[in-house]
Structures are given as C-alpha cells and as structure tokens.
Amino acid sequence: MAGDATGAALARLDTLARTSARRLALVPPGVAGALLLAAVSLTPSLLPRPPLFQGIVTGVAAAAGYGLGVLCSWCWSAVRDRPRRAWPRWATTALAVVGAVGGIVMLLLGARWQREAHRLAGSEPTPVASVLLVPVIAVLVAGLVLVAARGLRALTRRLVRLLQRRIGPKAAQALGVLVVVGLGVTLVSGVLADAGLRALDASFAVGDLTTPSSARRPESALRSGSAESLVGWDDLGREGRVFVAGGPTAEQIEDVVGTAAMDPIRAFAGLGNADDAEERAELAVDDLERAGGFDREHLLVVTTTGTGWVEPSAAAGFEYVTGGDSAIVAMQYSHLPSWLSFVVDAQRAREAGRGLFDAVYQRWTALPPDDRPRLYVFGESLGSFGAEEAFSGEFDLANRTTGALFVGPPSFNRLWGELSADRDPGSPQIEPVYRDGRVVRFATRAESPPPADRPWEGSRVLYLQHASDPVTWWSPDLLLRRPDWLEDERGADVPGGMRWVPLVTFFQVSGDLAMAFDTEPGHGHNFSGEHAAAWVQLVRPDGWTEDTTEELRRLLRR
C-alpha cells in the first residue's frame, strides 16, 4: 500500500511538472539549470540578506541558470545534429522530486547561513518564517526576466521574417539579431540613459533646495555661508549647508581631548555657487583663505560623494584629533548620490578631486615653507575615487601631502587597484602590504595597520577597508574569475561558508551592495566612528591615549 501511495504521488508530481512546463513552454534542461543556480544563490556571501533581496538574487540566478541550461541543450543538439527530444517520464519526475526536496533543504540551510551572517555582522536576524517569502519573490523575478527575454526573442523572429522577404534566411537571421542588439544598446546607453539622467538630476536637484531643521546658517566667520563668507548660504546645497552648520565647538573638543582647543574652520562651495568645477574650487579656496584656513596647523582637502556629502564622523574626527587647530575644505560636483554619480558622472568626480586639491596646493606652495599648514587628503567611497585622481602614485602622495585617508575604496579606484595588485608576496588582498608599508598601508581596523614591525616615517597614507564591504569587493570580474579575497584567509566578519561560484557570486555581492550602508559600524560600508583611530595614525597628536581614541569613537558613531 505504501508503495502504491508513493507511486501515485510521484505520478501526480510528474503530471504537474509536465503540465506546468508545457503551459510555460519551459525546457527541462533550462529548469535544471535554474534550480541549480537558485539553490547555490542561497549560500552565504559578504553580508546578511533580508528575504526581499535574497529573493531577487535567487530569481536572477534562476533566470541565468535557465538560460545556461537552454544554451547547453541547444549546443548538444547542434553537436549531435539531431532535433531536441523530450525528456522521458522518469527524468522529469526525478527533476521535480529533486527540485522540490532540494529547494526545501536549501531554504532551511539558507536560513541557518543567514543567522550566522547576522551574528558576524552584529545585527539582529530576521524571523525564520520570513524565509517563505524567498521562493515567491524569486519566481516573480525569474518570471519577469524570462518574459523580457522572450519578448526580445519574439521581436527578433518577427524582424527576421520581414528581412527574409528581401534577403536569404541566414543573412536575415544574422542581420535581425544585430539590429535588435544594436537598438537595445543604443536605447539603454543613449536615448533612455540621457532621458533618465535628466529626470534623476532634476529630481535630486529639488532635494538640494531643502535644509534639515538642525542645519542653521552659521554666525561664525569661520564657516562658509556666514554673513562674512564669499559663498552664499542658499546655494551651498543641502549637504553643504549640513556640513558648514555642523561639527564640534572648541568647548566640545576640550571636553574630549582635555587641552585648550580652537573653533575649527569649514569651507565649502556648492553647485549653485559657481558654473564649473574649476571656478567652484577657486571659490572654495578663496573662502578658505578668507576664514584663515591657511593659518591653521592642519588643513584637510575633502573630495565629497556626488551630492556634496562629507562623512560627519570623518570631518569631526579630524577636528577633535587636531584640537580644532584645523581647516576643512570641500565642494559639491553633482546632485546625484555616489553610486549613480559614478555610473553616469565619473568625469565630474575626477575633475572635482583634481581641481580642488590643485587649487589648494597652488595657494599652499605660495606660502613660506615654515608657514604652511600640514596638508591632508580625505575621501570616502566615491570620494576616495575622486581624491585619488589628484595623484599619480605612492611618491606623489608622499611628496605633496602630510597624510591621506581613503575609506571604503570602490574596486574601480585606479590607484587602489594598482597598489593592491602589486602588494608584497604573502600579504592578503583584504589587508595587503605594499613595499613594507613605507608610505601606504591598508587596514581593516585602523588601530593596527600592518606591518606593525616596520617603520612608518614621514607622510602616511592609509586605506581603511572592511573585509565584508561589497563596495570594495564588487567587480564584474566576479562573474567568471575567483577573487583573491576568497582564496586568502577570510576576514573576521565574512562567513566561512562563502564560496565562489561563477555568475552566482557576482549576483550575491551585487545584492549585498543594497545592504552595505545599513550595517552596524565596523561592518559592510559603515565606517562611522572608525575615523577616530585612523586620524590618530596620520596626525600623531602628542599626549593622545587609547582611552581618548575609544571615547572619541563612541562619540562619533551614528
């Protein structure tokens, strides 16, 4: 009886699978590929993923797996020079059973892996029941991708039929594919991209007109936007107004460092203050000079993210560590957030990074050597990309700055990529050692940039990067090549179960990007508070203690 019941259940499952496949016109090898990549996509990656993003990743992976399965089936038929045959009943039954059982097992394992990822990242895990949302979202996403692909296929076939009235079948097929691909690329990269960019820029420009209630026009002449400033308050942009209105006072600095302090200087120029990057940089430096920025002991040049955002922890941390005897200058170069700014506006980031530093450096070199402030450079995320562009390499940084701090560098950073690729043998990619750390050092924790046993004299350049930060480790290379950071010893907050799988790891890390900014400090792309120890490494203040660093870290964490 038990055997009959099992046989009947398998028969019903096979009938259901065959009926669904016929109605959806699904190819069994494609279904097998979809199930395989969908299952693998549930394995852990850099950061914990909520059900929504896990479902999206799984759906995209399933769609890619279906395409690969269909392609392999087509190639096999072409090699054998025979038409594709339907799978036998036992094969479709086995596929349905393995898919159902394997899917349940992988969902349960995926929930376990996500709990481990949450533990490593110091975040609260999502309820186990929410894992049931994953297959629902995955099916919807995979279905949308499949519908879009079939729409393109239908368009291509119709175009080929029209062309066959004029030319031969093979020529019509080749030309039809080329026309559809060409039109698609042109629309996405040209017409649609330009229209979308204009709409996005206009949308984010409206946000630039707003001002948070906590940001009030500064009364101190030490700030841009004040009555004495050369820069108009209303044209600074939202993030510019937040920057010049914020930061610690001399009294707040004294409470932390325990010695007499000064009110810091902050200079900024927004998109509305000048027409191009060169004029904006000159205006920002003019206002910096007006406020007395070149008379301070420490001067920091910041390359912002696209909107003009200056990381509050980085700016305030520099001012605390220098005792307020400091000046910071920055400028805005886009209305768009950093990820959009790089995709469509990378040239502006380059121009801003080079233009602002060059304008500061020109004034700085005109001063008598004994009267020059110590010159520092800072950039975080896309800001580090722009800040790097002012320099050709290690010795250029050492010759023209006292120190530089680059935080959370994206993988497309030119200088970061060159230094990482040329690292000393045996050092891991997540914390490479370059030329014994003589000038440039990399650290996942700023308190101890390796190598600890080697001297670090003169100018210091520090790259602060997290092992679990997808902004740093995302790259198109993940599609087909295993990265060094998955071959080396893992970072402390990267799940040990993470493995590189062609295509899938790229989809996973792409999904991690959406969660990179929402992690706890010290993980992902959240460096809040960690700038304190980084600035101590670069500025080397007298009488500073580890307890003071820890107090400042707690104060700066958002």
Side-chain angles (χ1 to χ4, degrees), residues 373-401:
R374 297 179 182 178
L375 186 57
Y376 299 87
V377 174
F378 172 77
E380 181 159 334
S381 195
L382 183 64
S384 70
F385 167 79
E388 277 191 359
E389 290 298 308
F391 305 95
S392 60
E394 174 194 27
F395 287 118
D396 192 21
L397 279 161
N399 291 333
R400 295 203 288 161
T401 71

PDB file of all heavy atoms in Angstrom, residues 373-401:
ATOM      1  N   PRO A 373      50.522  75.018   6.524  1.00  0.00           N
ATOM      2  CA  PRO A 373      49.889  74.007   7.391  1.00  0.00           C
ATOM      3  C   PRO A 373      50.228  72.602   6.916  1.00  0.00           C
ATOM      4  O   PRO A 373      50.635  72.398   5.768  1.00  0.00           O
ATOM      5  CB  PRO A 373      48.399  74.298   7.223  1.00  0.00           C
ATOM      6  CG  PRO A 373      48.280  74.936   5.880  1.00  0.00           C
ATOM      7  CD  PRO A 373      49.551  75.717   5.669  1.00  0.00           C
ATOM      8  N   ARG A 374      50.078  71.632   7.776  1.00  0.00           N
ATOM      9  CA  ARG A 374      50.207  70.236   7.371  1.00  0.00           C
ATOM     10  C   ARG A 374      49.011  69.895   6.480  1.00  0.00           C
ATOM     11  O   ARG A 374      47.863  70.156   6.852  1.00  0.00           O
ATOM     12  CB  ARG A 374      50.237  69.325   8.589  1.00  0.00           C
ATOM     13  CG  ARG A 374      51.437  69.564   9.493  1.00  0.00           C
ATOM     14  CD  ARG A 374      51.403  68.644  10.696  1.00  0.00           C
ATOM     15  NE  ARG A 374      52.538  68.900  11.587  1.00  0.00           N
ATOM     16  CZ  ARG A 374      52.750  68.266  12.745  1.00  0.00           C
ATOM     17  NH1 ARG A 374      51.881  67.324  13.140  1.00  0.00           N
ATOM     18  NH2 ARG A 374      53.801  68.556  13.485  1.00  0.00           N
ATOM     19  N   LEU A 375      49.300  69.311   5.327  1.00  0.00           N
ATOM     20  CA  LEU A 375      48.276  69.130   4.303  1.00  0.00           C
ATOM     21  C   LEU A 375      47.826  67.671   4.239  1.00  0.00           C
ATOM     22  O   LEU A 375      48.650  66.769   4.044  1.00  0.00           O
ATOM     23  CB  LEU A 375      48.822  69.577   2.950  1.00  0.00           C
ATOM     24  CG  LEU A 375      47.851  69.604   1.760  1.00  0.00           C
ATOM     25  CD1 LEU A 375      46.657  70.499   2.049  1.00  0.00           C
ATOM     26  CD2 LEU A 375      48.590  70.063   0.506  1.00  0.00           C
ATOM     27  N   TYR A 376      46.510  67.462   4.380  1.00  0.00           N
ATOM     28  CA  TYR A 376      45.943  66.110   4.375  1.00  0.00           C
ATOM     29  C   TYR A 376      44.867  66.009   3.298  1.00  0.00           C
ATOM     30  O   TYR A 376      44.275  67.007   2.872  1.00  0.00           O
ATOM     31  CB  TYR A 376      45.316  65.774   5.729  1.00  0.00           C
ATOM     32  CG  TYR A 376      46.275  65.800   6.888  1.00  0.00           C
ATOM     33  CD1 TYR A 376      46.535  67.001   7.567  1.00  0.00           C
ATOM     34  CD2 TYR A 376      46.926  64.646   7.319  1.00  0.00           C
ATOM     35  CE1 TYR A 376      47.409  67.041   8.642  1.00  0.00           C
ATOM     36  CE2 TYR A 376      47.812  64.683   8.390  1.00  0.00           C
ATOM     37  CZ  TYR A 376      48.050  65.880   9.039  1.00  0.00           C
ATOM     38  OH  TYR A 376      48.929  65.921  10.090  1.00  0.00           O
ATOM     39  N   VAL A 377      44.585  64.769   2.887  1.00  0.00           N
ATOM     40  CA  VAL A 377      43.563  64.485   1.877  1.00  0.00           C
ATOM     41  C   VAL A 377      42.643  63.400   2.412  1.00  0.00           C
ATOM     42  O   VAL A 377      43.098  62.453   3.074  1.00  0.00           O
ATOM     43  CB  VAL A 377      44.211  64.026   0.556  1.00  0.00           C
ATOM     44  CG1 VAL A 377      43.145  63.591  -0.443  1.00  0.00           C
ATOM     45  CG2 VAL A 377      45.062  65.141  -0.042  1.00  0.00           C
ATOM     46  N   PHE A 378      41.350  63.550   2.122  1.00  0.00           N
ATOM     47  CA  PHE A 378      40.387  62.533   2.559  1.00  0.00           C
ATOM     48  C   PHE A 378      39.345  62.279   1.484  1.00  0.00           C
ATOM     49  O   PHE A 378      38.899  63.204   0.796  1.00  0.00           O
ATOM     50  CB  PHE A 378      39.663  62.975   3.837  1.00  0.00           C
ATOM     51  CG  PHE A 378      38.533  62.061   4.230  1.00  0.00           C
ATOM     52  CD1 PHE A 378      38.786  60.841   4.840  1.00  0.00           C
ATOM     53  CD2 PHE A 378      37.206  62.408   3.957  1.00  0.00           C
ATOM     54  CE1 PHE A 378      37.746  59.989   5.187  1.00  0.00           C
ATOM     55  CE2 PHE A 378      36.164  61.570   4.304  1.00  0.00           C
ATOM     56  CZ  PHE A 378      36.439  60.350   4.926  1.00  0.00           C
ATOM     57  N   GLY A 379      38.956  61.023   1.356  1.00  0.00           N
ATOM     58  CA  GLY A 379      37.834  60.651   0.505  1.00  0.00           C
ATOM     59  C   GLY A 379      37.247  59.341   0.986  1.00  0.00           C
ATOM     60  O   GLY A 379      37.982  58.429   1.372  1.00  0.00           O
ATOM     61  N   GLU A 380      35.921  59.250   0.970  1.00  0.00           N
ATOM     62  CA  GLU A 380      35.248  58.013   1.376  1.00  0.00           C
ATOM     63  C   GLU A 380      34.324  57.558   0.267  1.00  0.00           C
ATOM     64  O   GLU A 380      33.619  58.366  -0.356  1.00  0.00           O
ATOM     65  CB  GLU A 380      34.456  58.227   2.666  1.00  0.00           C
ATOM     66  CG  GLU A 380      33.748  56.959   3.146  1.00  0.00           C
ATOM     67  CD  GLU A 380      33.402  56.990   4.627  1.00  0.00           C
ATOM     68  OE1 GLU A 380      34.081  57.699   5.387  1.00  0.00           O
ATOM     69  OE2 GLU A 380      32.467  56.282   5.020  1.00  0.00           O
ATOM     70  N   SER A 381      34.337  56.254  -0.007  1.00  0.00           N
ATOM     71  CA  SER A 381      33.504  55.673  -1.051  1.00  0.00           C
ATOM     72  C   SER A 381      33.862  56.319  -2.389  1.00  0.00           C
ATOM     73  O   SER A 381      35.028  56.347  -2.773  1.00  0.00           O
ATOM     74  CB  SER A 381      32.028  55.854  -0.690  1.00  0.00           C
ATOM     75  OG  SER A 381      31.216  55.021  -1.482  1.00  0.00           O
ATOM     76  N   LEU A 382      32.879  56.885  -3.108  1.00  0.00           N
ATOM     77  CA  LEU A 382      33.195  57.537  -4.380  1.00  0.00           C
ATOM     78  C   LEU A 382      34.140  58.718  -4.175  1.00  0.00           C
ATOM     79  O   LEU A 382      34.911  59.068  -5.066  1.00  0.00           O
ATOM     80  CB  LEU A 382      31.917  57.991  -5.071  1.00  0.00           C
ATOM     81  CG  LEU A 382      32.096  58.629  -6.449  1.00  0.00           C
ATOM     82  CD1 LEU A 382      32.670  57.624  -7.441  1.00  0.00           C
ATOM     83  CD2 LEU A 382      30.791  59.208  -6.969  1.00  0.00           C
ATOM     84  N   GLY A 383      34.088  59.321  -2.995  1.00  0.00           N
ATOM     85  CA  GLY A 383      35.011  60.415  -2.694  1.00  0.00           C
ATOM     86  C   GLY A 383      36.461  59.983  -2.756  1.00  0.00           C
ATOM     87  O   GLY A 383      37.344  60.753  -3.152  1.00  0.00           O
ATOM     88  N   SER A 384      36.748  58.731  -2.370  1.00  0.00           N
ATOM     89  CA  SER A 384      38.133  58.245  -2.446  1.00  0.00           C
ATOM     90  C   SER A 384      38.562  58.097  -3.899  1.00  0.00           C
ATOM     91  O   SER A 384      39.741  58.294  -4.233  1.00  0.00           O
ATOM     92  CB  SER A 384      38.267  56.901  -1.714  1.00  0.00           C
ATOM     93  OG  SER A 384      37.595  55.855  -2.409  1.00  0.00           O
ATOM     94  N   PHE A 385      37.613  57.759  -4.781  1.00  0.00           N
ATOM     95  CA  PHE A 385      37.905  57.666  -6.212  1.00  0.00           C
ATOM     96  C   PHE A 385      38.341  59.022  -6.751  1.00  0.00           C
ATOM     97  O   PHE A 385      39.352  59.152  -7.443  1.00  0.00           O
ATOM     98  CB  PHE A 385      36.663  57.156  -6.947  1.00  0.00           C
ATOM     99  CG  PHE A 385      36.717  57.302  -8.439  1.00  0.00           C
ATOM    100  CD1 PHE A 385      37.434  56.420  -9.213  1.00  0.00           C
ATOM    101  CD2 PHE A 385      36.029  58.337  -9.080  1.00  0.00           C
ATOM    102  CE1 PHE A 385      37.488  56.546 -10.603  1.00  0.00           C
ATOM    103  CE2 PHE A 385      36.070  58.480 -10.456  1.00  0.00           C
ATOM    104  CZ  PHE A 385      36.800  57.578 -11.216  1.00  0.00           C
ATOM    105  N   GLY A 386      37.577  60.073  -6.422  1.00  0.00           N
ATOM    106  CA  GLY A 386      37.926  61.407  -6.874  1.00  0.00           C
ATOM    107  C   GLY A 386      39.202  61.922  -6.243  1.00  0.00           C
ATOM    108  O   GLY A 386      40.034  62.547  -6.913  1.00  0.00           O
ATOM    109  N   ALA A 387      39.382  61.657  -4.945  1.00  0.00           N
ATOM    110  CA  ALA A 387      40.571  62.152  -4.249  1.00  0.00           C
ATOM    111  C   ALA A 387      41.848  61.529  -4.808  1.00  0.00           C
ATOM    112  O   ALA A 387      42.882  62.197  -4.927  1.00  0.00           O
ATOM    113  CB  ALA A 387      40.454  61.862  -2.757  1.00  0.00           C
ATOM    114  N   GLU A 388      41.804  60.240  -5.159  1.00  0.00           N
ATOM    115  CA  GLU A 388      42.976  59.565  -5.734  1.00  0.00           C
ATOM    116  C   GLU A 388      43.436  60.188  -7.044  1.00  0.00           C
ATOM    117  O   GLU A 388      44.622  60.153  -7.375  1.00  0.00           O
ATOM    118  CB  GLU A 388      42.647  58.100  -6.008  1.00  0.00           C
ATOM    119  CG  GLU A 388      42.768  57.164  -4.847  1.00  0.00           C
ATOM    120  CD  GLU A 388      42.675  55.723  -5.329  1.00  0.00           C
ATOM    121  OE1 GLU A 388      42.497  55.491  -6.551  1.00  0.00           O
ATOM    122  OE2 GLU A 388      42.790  54.827  -4.497  1.00  0.00           O
ATOM    123  N   GLU A 389      42.473  60.724  -7.804  1.00  0.00           N
ATOM    124  CA  GLU A 389      42.777  61.196  -9.146  1.00  0.00           C
ATOM    125  C   GLU A 389      43.731  62.377  -9.176  1.00  0.00           C
ATOM    126  O   GLU A 389      44.261  62.732 -10.232  1.00  0.00           O
ATOM    127  CB  GLU A 389      41.476  61.560  -9.881  1.00  0.00           C
ATOM    128  CG  GLU A 389      40.622  60.362 -10.242  1.00  0.00           C
ATOM    129  CD  GLU A 389      41.331  59.425 -11.199  1.00  0.00           C
ATOM    130  OE1 GLU A 389      41.819  59.879 -12.233  1.00  0.00           O
ATOM    131  OE2 GLU A 389      41.409  58.222 -10.887  1.00  0.00           O
ATOM    132  N   ALA A 390      43.956  63.008  -8.039  1.00  0.00           N
ATOM    133  CA  ALA A 390      44.900  64.124  -7.985  1.00  0.00           C
ATOM    134  C   ALA A 390      46.346  63.651  -7.909  1.00  0.00           C
ATOM    135  O   ALA A 390      47.271  64.470  -7.978  1.00  0.00           O
ATOM    136  CB  ALA A 390      44.583  65.019  -6.785  1.00  0.00           C
ATOM    137  N   PHE A 391      46.555  62.334  -7.783  1.00  0.00           N
ATOM    138  CA  PHE A 391      47.908  61.814  -7.536  1.00  0.00           C
ATOM    139  C   PHE A 391      48.246  60.687  -8.507  1.00  0.00           C
ATOM    140  O   PHE A 391      47.379  59.923  -8.923  1.00  0.00           O
ATOM    141  CB  PHE A 391      48.020  61.315  -6.096  1.00  0.00           C
ATOM    142  CG  PHE A 391      47.641  62.355  -5.079  1.00  0.00           C
ATOM    143  CD1 PHE A 391      46.352  62.405  -4.564  1.00  0.00           C
ATOM    144  CD2 PHE A 391      48.561  63.309  -4.687  1.00  0.00           C
ATOM    145  CE1 PHE A 391      45.988  63.375  -3.655  1.00  0.00           C
ATOM    146  CE2 PHE A 391      48.208  64.291  -3.763  1.00  0.00           C
ATOM    147  CZ  PHE A 391      46.914  64.326  -3.250  1.00  0.00           C
ATOM    148  N   SER A 392      49.536  60.595  -8.814  1.00  0.00           N
ATOM    149  CA  SER A 392      49.984  59.576  -9.775  1.00  0.00           C
ATOM    150  C   SER A 392      50.424  58.292  -9.096  1.00  0.00           C
ATOM    151  O   SER A 392      50.476  57.242  -9.739  1.00  0.00           O
ATOM    152  CB  SER A 392      51.142  60.127 -10.619  1.00  0.00           C
ATOM    153  OG  SER A 392      52.233  60.494  -9.793  1.00  0.00           O
ATOM    154  N   GLY A 393      50.764  58.347  -7.820  1.00  0.00           N
ATOM    155  CA  GLY A 393      51.235  57.151  -7.149  1.00  0.00           C
ATOM    156  C   GLY A 393      51.715  57.417  -5.739  1.00  0.00           C
ATOM    157  O   GLY A 393      51.471  58.488  -5.153  1.00  0.00           O
ATOM    158  N   GLU A 394      52.406  56.434  -5.191  1.00  0.00           N
ATOM    159  CA  GLU A 394      52.856  56.475  -3.794  1.00  0.00           C
ATOM    160  C   GLU A 394      53.715  57.698  -3.500  1.00  0.00           C
ATOM    161  O   GLU A 394      53.474  58.440  -2.535  1.00  0.00           O
ATOM    162  CB  GLU A 394      53.627  55.193  -3.500  1.00  0.00           C
ATOM    163  CG  GLU A 394      54.275  55.153  -2.127  1.00  0.00           C
ATOM    164  CD  GLU A 394      55.306  54.043  -2.005  1.00  0.00           C
ATOM    165  OE1 GLU A 394      55.883  53.659  -3.042  1.00  0.00           O
ATOM    166  OE2 GLU A 394      55.539  53.581  -0.874  1.00  0.00           O
ATOM    167  N   PHE A 395      54.731  57.945  -4.314  1.00  0.00           N
ATOM    168  CA  PHE A 395      55.653  59.037  -4.013  1.00  0.00           C
ATOM    169  C   PHE A 395      55.036  60.404  -4.270  1.00  0.00           C
ATOM    170  O   PHE A 395      55.411  61.389  -3.625  1.00  0.00           O
ATOM    171  CB  PHE A 395      56.950  58.865  -4.803  1.00  0.00           C
ATOM    172  CG  PHE A 395      57.814  57.757  -4.276  1.00  0.00           C
ATOM    173  CD1 PHE A 395      58.121  56.665  -5.064  1.00  0.00           C
ATOM    174  CD2 PHE A 395      58.307  57.795  -2.982  1.00  0.00           C
ATOM    175  CE1 PHE A 395      58.908  55.629  -4.572  1.00  0.00           C
ATOM    176  CE2 PHE A 395      59.085  56.775  -2.482  1.00  0.00           C
ATOM    177  CZ  PHE A 395      59.399  55.681  -3.275  1.00  0.00           C
ATOM    178  N   ASP A 396      54.091  60.488  -5.192  1.00  0.00           N
ATOM    179  CA  ASP A 396      53.388  61.747  -5.397  1.00  0.00           C
ATOM    180  C   ASP A 396      52.588  62.106  -4.147  1.00  0.00           C
ATOM    181  O   ASP A 396      52.564  63.267  -3.709  1.00  0.00           O
ATOM    182  CB  ASP A 396      52.474  61.632  -6.616  1.00  0.00           C
ATOM    183  CG  ASP A 396      51.935  62.970  -7.080  1.00  0.00           C
ATOM    184  OD1 ASP A 396      52.552  64.002  -6.733  1.00  0.00           O
ATOM    185  OD2 ASP A 396      50.916  62.996  -7.784  1.00  0.00           O
ATOM    186  N   LEU A 397      51.918  61.122  -3.562  1.00  0.00           N
ATOM    187  CA  LEU A 397      51.204  61.344  -2.307  1.00  0.00           C
ATOM    188  C   LEU A 397      52.163  61.755  -1.191  1.00  0.00           C
ATOM    189  O   LEU A 397      51.885  62.683  -0.428  1.00  0.00           O
ATOM    190  CB  LEU A 397      50.451  60.074  -1.906  1.00  0.00           C
ATOM    191  CG  LEU A 397      49.104  59.816  -2.580  1.00  0.00           C
ATOM    192  CD1 LEU A 397      48.716  58.348  -2.443  1.00  0.00           C
ATOM    193  CD2 LEU A 397      48.026  60.712  -1.966  1.00  0.00           C
ATOM    194  N   ALA A 398      53.294  61.073  -1.104  1.00  0.00           N
ATOM    195  CA  ALA A 398      54.254  61.365  -0.046  1.00  0.00           C
ATOM    196  C   ALA A 398      54.885  62.746  -0.206  1.00  0.00           C
ATOM    197  O   ALA A 398      55.147  63.442   0.780  1.00  0.00           O
ATOM    198  CB  ALA A 398      55.345  60.298  -0.029  1.00  0.00           C
ATOM    199  N   ASN A 399      55.130  63.147  -1.447  1.00  0.00           N
ATOM    200  CA  ASN A 399      55.803  64.423  -1.691  1.00  0.00           C
ATOM    201  C   ASN A 399      54.891  65.627  -1.519  1.00  0.00           C
ATOM    202  O   ASN A 399      55.368  66.727  -1.211  1.00  0.00           O
ATOM    203  CB  ASN A 399      56.393  64.443  -3.107  1.00  0.00           C
ATOM    204  CG  ASN A 399      57.559  63.479  -3.263  1.00  0.00           C
ATOM    205  OD1 ASN A 399      58.245  63.160  -2.303  1.00  0.00           O
ATOM    206  ND2 ASN A 399      57.769  63.008  -4.486  1.00  0.00           N
ATOM    207  N   ARG A 400      53.584  65.443  -1.722  1.00  0.00           N
ATOM    208  CA  ARG A 400      52.698  66.602  -1.721  1.00  0.00           C
ATOM    209  C   ARG A 400      51.728  66.653  -0.550  1.00  0.00           C
ATOM    210  O   ARG A 400      50.958  67.612  -0.436  1.00  0.00           O
ATOM    211  CB  ARG A 400      51.905  66.646  -3.038  1.00  0.00           C
ATOM    212  CG  ARG A 400      52.795  66.864  -4.262  1.00  0.00           C
ATOM    213  CD  ARG A 400      51.998  67.460  -5.413  1.00  0.00           C
ATOM    214  NE  ARG A 400      51.084  66.485  -6.000  1.00  0.00           N
ATOM    215  CZ  ARG A 400      50.031  66.821  -6.751  1.00  0.00           C
ATOM    216  NH1 ARG A 400      49.753  68.092  -6.959  1.00  0.00           N
ATOM    217  NH2 ARG A 400      49.275  65.872  -7.285  1.00  0.00           N
ATOM    218  N   THR A 401      51.733  65.662   0.303  1.00  0.00           N
ATOM    219  CA  THR A 401      50.834  65.677   1.458  1.00  0.00           C
ATOM    220  C   THR A 401      51.560  65.216   2.711  1.00  0.00           C
ATOM    221  O   THR A 401      52.592  64.547   2.648  1.00  0.00           O
ATOM    222  CB  THR A 401      49.616  64.752   1.247  1.00  0.00           C
ATOM    223  OG1 THR A 401      50.043  63.378   1.291  1.00  0.00           O
ATOM    224  CG2 THR A 401      48.930  65.024  -0.082  1.00  0.00           C
TER     225      THR A 401
END
